[in-house]
Amino acid sequence: MSKKPVLLVIAHGSRDPRHAATVHALVRRVRALRPDVRVETGFLDFNIPSVQGVLESLAAQGVRDVVALPLLLTRAFHAKADIPAVLRDAPPQLRIRQAEVLGPSPLLMAALERRLYEAGLTPADKSSTGVVLASAGSTDPEAIAVIAEIAREWRHTGWCAVRPAFASASLPRTEDAVRELRELGCERVAVAPYVLAPGFLPDRIARGAAEADILADVLGAAPEVARVLLERYEAARVPVLAAVGA
């Protein structure tokens, strides 16, 4: 039987050291869940190792099959353009399949609720609490539509109301969504950052949450996020192995 493809987690990278630290913590959790899978991490920018460097190293070690997994919550520019471009420049002996981005997923919604409860809410608070689903933002209309749909679905699980907000590129901003929920009459307002790791835009979300009652942490290395990574890996690796006759 052929070896399982290497899982290459592709993160954006950031000048903020908290970003890489969070990515590495998440990858450690993935490795703990699946010790039978080799998991590597590469960054598009700012941090090392670079994606290209990891791919060249894998090829030099004789690896042939790789599942490249974008550490992204929506299919925006990085998933559609940046990452495919980097993968096209990979050593030709590598057989690479790009996995789907992490979102949307019921597991991620569970992780959002986990973070809200860790910040002080309880399930009994849902019906009286309005939630701002605060994402980084994008110029890609598909990504924006996905965030709005997640907010609509989440509202149906029992929250007083859920409103999407964006830290960049789109409106409304977090602070505007907080005020809207106050005006709507929600007893309390919570902000749930729909972002994976700390950094510039999550800090902007936090500033926008100044008038909220609760600010949850980023998704980070939540166990649900690790499980989504492995779901995406499994969905992508089967076609890879079928293509090579495994």
Side-chain angles (χ1 to χ4, degrees):
M1 181 180 291
S2 297
K3 291 181 179 179
K4 294 180 178 66
V6 171
L7 169 55
L8 172 58
V9 176
I10 300 179
H12 183 272
S14 171
R15 292 187 179 90
D16 189 321
R18 296 174 298 168
H19 174 90
T22 302
V23 170
H24 291 311
L26 175 59
V27 168
R28 285 194 297 272
R29 187 179 284 273
V30 172
R31 287 180 179 139
L33 287 171
R34 287 293 301 274
D36 59 316
V37 175
R38 179 176 175 181
V39 187
E40 300 291 342
T41 309
F43 295 90
L44 290 173
D45 208 351
F46 302 116
N47 302 104
I48 55 175
S50 68
V51 176
Q52 187 66 27
V54 174
L55 291 171
E56 290 173 358
S57 176
L58 291 173
Q61 295 167 41
V63 170
R64 291 296 174 263
D65 296 307
V66 177
V67 169
L69 194 153
L71 198 60
L72 301 168
L73 294 172
T74 58
R75 272 183 48 79
F77 180 79
H78 294 302
K80 294 178 179 179
D82 281 2
I83 292 174
V86 172
L87 297 180
R88 281 194 296 270
D89 289 337
Q93 62 267 47
L94 291 177
R95 292 179 290 244
I96 303 174
R97 185 172 183 87
Q98 181 175 329
E100 291 296 328
V101 297
L102 303 184
S105 166
L107 283 169
L108 294 178
M109 296 177 76
L112 287 167
E113 294 211 2
R114 170 193 289 274
R115 293 302 189 221
L116 285 170
Y117 297 149
E118 289 171 349
L121 291 178
T122 71
D125 296 323
K126 290 184 76 167
S127 62
S128 56
T129 301
V131 179
V132 178
L133 179 69
S135 76
S138 174
T139 57
D140 188 309
E142 178 187 348
I144 298 304
V146 166
I147 300 300
E149 179 60 27
I150 292 170
R152 282 192 293 271
E153 289 184 11
W154 207 14
R155 163 67 182 84
H156 295 315
T157 67
W159 296 102
C160 173
V162 180
R163 294 290 186 272
F166 307 94
S168 68
S170 308
L171 295 173
R173 294 286 182 258
T174 301
E175 52 268 35
D176 298 324
V178 168
R179 293 187 193 108
E180 180 186 349
L181 291 172
R182 286 265 187 246
E183 292 167 1
L184 202 61
C186 296
E187 187 176 314
R188 69 185 65 75
V189 176
V191 174
Y194 190 59
V195 293
L196 285 166
F200 176 75
L201 293 178
D203 284 350
R204 181 180 287 177
I205 289 171
R207 290 194 297 273
E211 296 180 15
D213 302 294
I214 295 283
L215 170 62
D217 199 358
V218 299
L219 294 173
E224 296 88 351
V225 179
R227 288 168 57 198
V228 176
L229 260 73
L230 290 170
E231 283 187 356
R232 300 293 183 255
Y233 167 77
E234 288 296 335
R237 85 176 185 95
V238 175
V240 168
L241 295 178
V244 300

